[in-house]
Amino acid sequence: MKKIILAGVAAALAIACAEKPEEKPMHTLFVGTYTDGDSEGIYTYTFDANTGELSNQKLAAKLTNPSYLAISDDKKNLYAVQETADFDSLGGGVTAFSLKKDVLKLQNSMGTQGAHPCHVSLSGDGHLAVANYTGGNVALFSLNTDGSLADNPQIIDHKPLDTVKTSHAHMAQFNVDGLMVTDLGLDAIKRYTQQGDSFVPTEQASIPFEDGAGPRHFTFGNNGKTLYVINELNSTISILEKDVDGKYDEIQVVSTLAADFDGESFCADIHLSPDGKFLYGSNRGENTIVIFEVDGNSGQLELVGREQVRGDWPRNFSIDPTGEFLLVANKRTSNIAIFKRDGQQGKLTFLNEVEHPNPVCLVFE
């Protein structure tokens, strides 16, 4: 009888253990901010992917206007723009930190030779790009072996490219073909390829957009064959397809706003779900995250719906490493809103929020 009872207890424990959900690891979230209010620089949080909660806020580094952040693939370095016009006589700056766990140690800072740098990205093979918004140019730095910034960056100047429009480089992102730069002021994406130590225009040097569209950020789907561009000024997403010659052609344009919205709104950020099945974009003004389903064959978009961000002016958002949560940085209301993401339908459900001064960039380690 005792053996039977013990066997029953063991079986019950085995069932209980089998039914217990797998414990997910904690993740570090880095928050970039504007420091014209209560913020002092770059902050970290611990994100619990089991509950969707943020905790343990820390000031990781004091820095002026670290409005965009990038972390190296090996997690050993973090880079931040200083979105100012007075880092030096030429404009803003970019700063390199060594990164160990969630601790940042300053390595060096360099001027970006253009005012108000607003985006930074890494090539993965020793290059860093900074887009200078007001400066209308891009600074391309080489990285030293420890990840610090090397001297004498290459400057790609967009200002001479148009005598009517004013250049505003908004995003400079490396890809398999080289470098792509959205220029909100020129209504174009400029494409560059590496030749030796420099980047030069590709055969398709410019991808044009509708006048007044204001291309801001982009992301790739379908292994780089589909390009999704969110346009700040006319609140649309442009979908482009890559042909056999490597050129991108527009195949669809969709609005990010509800048909009955009649206020002022400006798009900001764009991200695909990890499985590539859903695309999300942020609307500042309508104050929503718009949700689209991605056609697996054509890459074209079909509206799923939209979710209110529980705040004002969603500048940037991020999907956590598990793909189960989406976090939104609401600049004007100084809060970070956390949503549970439905992996099957793409929809978002609000969970909770934390107060944080002037958040504008969310990056997971």
Side-chain angles (χ1 to χ4, degrees):
M1 177 63 74
K2 185 180 289 186
K3 289 182 178 180
I4 294 173
I5 293 172
L6 289 173
V9 171
L13 287 172
I15 292 171
C17 289
E19 292 177 346
K20 185 178 179 181
E22 182 182 352
E23 192 80 7
K24 299 183 180 73
M26 300 292 186
H27 299 282
T28 299
L29 176 70
F30 287 87
V31 180
T33 66
Y34 282 126
T35 54
D36 54 354
D38 295 330
S39 173
E40 295 184 78
I42 303 170
Y43 293 80
T44 60
Y45 284 89
T46 299
F47 180 71
D48 189 338
N50 300 284
T51 64
E53 294 180 337
L54 289 171
S55 62
N56 196 31
Q57 183 204 80
K58 294 180 182 177
L59 177 62
K62 289 188 176 183
L63 200 67
T64 302
N65 286 352
S67 64
Y68 206 90
L69 313 175
I71 296 175
S72 61
D73 290 339
D74 62 10
K75 313 298 184 186
K76 292 182 178 180
N77 297 91
L78 180 144
Y79 303 89
V81 300
Q82 295 188 48
E83 191 178 336
T84 69
D86 57 2
F87 173 84
D88 57 20
S89 62
L90 297 176
V94 61
T95 298
F97 297 91
S98 64
L99 171 60
K100 189 172 183 181
K101 295 185 178 178
D102 60 351
V103 178
L104 297 179
K105 184 178 179 181
L106 178 65
Q107 290 180 295
N108 65 342
S109 297
M110 294 280 183
T112 60
Q113 300 190 34
H116 302 113
C118 59
H119 186 273
V120 59
S121 72
L122 298 161
S123 66
D125 63 356
H127 294 92
L128 176 145
V130 179
N132 293 308
Y133 181 80
T134 306
N137 60 13
V138 176
L140 293 165
F141 291 84
S142 294
L143 299 176
N144 299 315
T145 55
D146 64 353
S148 60
L149 301 162
D151 294 325
N152 301 315
Q154 178 189 355
I155 304 299
I156 298 176
D157 193 359
H158 284 185
K159 292 191 292 295
L161 300 180
D162 196 302
T163 58
V164 177
K165 296 180 177 180
T166 301
S167 171
H168 292 302
H170 214 308
M171 178 181 187
Q173 183 71 48
F174 295 97
N175 65 354
V176 293
D177 299 319
L179 178 74
M180 297 182 77
V181 181
T182 54
D183 197 306
L184 181 146
L186 301 186
D187 293 311
I189 288 180
K190 303 299 183 181
R191 299 183 64 188
Y192 301 92
T193 187
Q194 188 172 3
Q195 287 187 4
D197 295 331
S198 300
F199 285 81
V200 299
T202 63
E203 183 177 347
Q204 186 189 27
S206 186
I207 304 172
F209 291 78
E210 178 184 342
D211 282 350
R216 179 183 171 100
H217 281 193
F218 60 84
T219 189
F220 291 97
N222 194 20
N223 296 316
K225 295 179 181 178
T226 310
L227 174 64
Y228 300 96
V229 184
I230 196 160
N231 299 305
E232 176 176 335
L233 302 183
N234 70 358
S235 296
T236 62
I237 295 173
S238 300
I239 301 89
L240 299 96
E241 187 175 61
K242 192 177 187 180
D243 66 20
V244 293
D245 297 320
K247 297 179 180 179
Y248 285 94
D249 297 303
E250 188 176 271
I251 59 172
Q252 186 188 22
V253 178
V254 296
S255 174
T256 65
L257 300 175
D260 59 355
F261 180 79
D262 61 359
E264 193 174 48
S265 193
F266 303 92
C267 289
D269 204 7
I270 185 169
H271 293 288
L272 278 166
S273 60
D275 59 11
K277 293 181 178 179
F278 298 96
L279 183 78
Y280 301 87
S282 59
N283 291 306
R284 298 171 296 173
E286 188 185 59
N287 290 331
T288 60
I289 299 294
V290 64
I291 308 161
F292 294 96
E293 186 173 7
V294 179
D295 185 284
N297 295 315
S298 69
Q300 295 193 32
L301 303 179
E302 182 177 348
L303 181 66
V304 172
R306 65 195 66 249
E307 182 69 27
Q308 292 292 321
V309 296
R310 271 61 173 187
D312 188 11
W313 221 246
R315 166 79 174 241
N316 176 250
F317 65 94
S318 181
I319 297 174
D320 84 302
T322 71
E324 297 180 11
F325 300 91
L326 186 147
L327 289 74
V328 182
N330 291 314
K331 176 181 178 291
R332 290 182 176 175
T333 44
S334 289
N335 70 311
I336 300 171
I338 303 161
F339 298 85
K340 179 72 174 177
R341 199 181 72 84
D342 185 328
Q344 299 301 312
Q345 297 183 329
K347 295 180 179 179
L348 303 174
T349 302
F350 176 69
L351 291 180
N352 58 74
E353 63 180 295
V354 297
E355 294 182 0
H356 191 94
N358 299 333
V360 289
C361 185
L362 306 176
V363 177
F364 282 96
E365 184 179 5

